[in-house]
Amino acid sequence: VDGGGRTEVEIEDVGGVLKITRISVSYRLKLPKEQAMDARAALDNYLRFCPSAQSVIGCIQITHELELEEMAA
């Protein structure tokens, strides 16, 4: 498995206070085809098990996406 990621954070002026309002995470994975379903399932479920995300999800919008590339055999 090989890959990387990118995180973007949006900060806005909310009533004169700078606040983080959005976090967008993009993952890029290169893995065998037979692992693709597991990777998608992990992405679909990790937010509800991530202590950091659960701590802020009520006040910061969190989005994520996954780009998969099949590894050559």
Side-chain angles (χ1 to χ4, degrees), residues 26-49:
S26 298
Y27 299 97
R28 183 178 35 83
L29 291 177
K30 187 174 184 179
L31 68 167
K33 184 178 182 177
E34 60 272 7
Q35 293 180 351
M37 192 177 336
D38 289 340
R40 289 192 201 308
L43 180 74
D44 290 342
N45 289 294
Y46 87 94
L47 282 179
R48 69 184 186 158
F49 296 110

Side-chain angles (χ1 to χ4, degrees):
V1 177
D2 188 18
R6 183 183 76 245
T7 302
E8 295 181 13
V9 177
E10 291 186 34
I11 300 171
E12 297 179 23
D13 181 334
V14 179
V17 177
L18 294 178
K19 294 178 74 173
I20 297 172
T21 55
R22 282 184 226 34
I23 299 173
S24 299
V25 184
S26 298
Y27 299 97
R28 183 178 35 83
L29 291 177
K30 187 174 184 179
L31 68 167
K33 184 178 182 177
E34 60 272 7
Q35 293 180 351
M37 192 177 336
D38 289 340
R40 289 192 201 308
L43 180 74
D44 290 342
N45 289 294
Y46 87 94
L47 282 179
R48 69 184 186 158
F49 296 110
C50 175
S52 297
Q54 289 301 307
S55 296
V56 301
I57 207 159
C59 48
I60 298 174
Q61 178 185 357
I62 301 173
T63 59
H64 56 255
E65 66 181 4
L66 175 62
E67 177 187 333
L68 294 177
E69 181 181 340
E70 186 177 332
M71 287 179 104

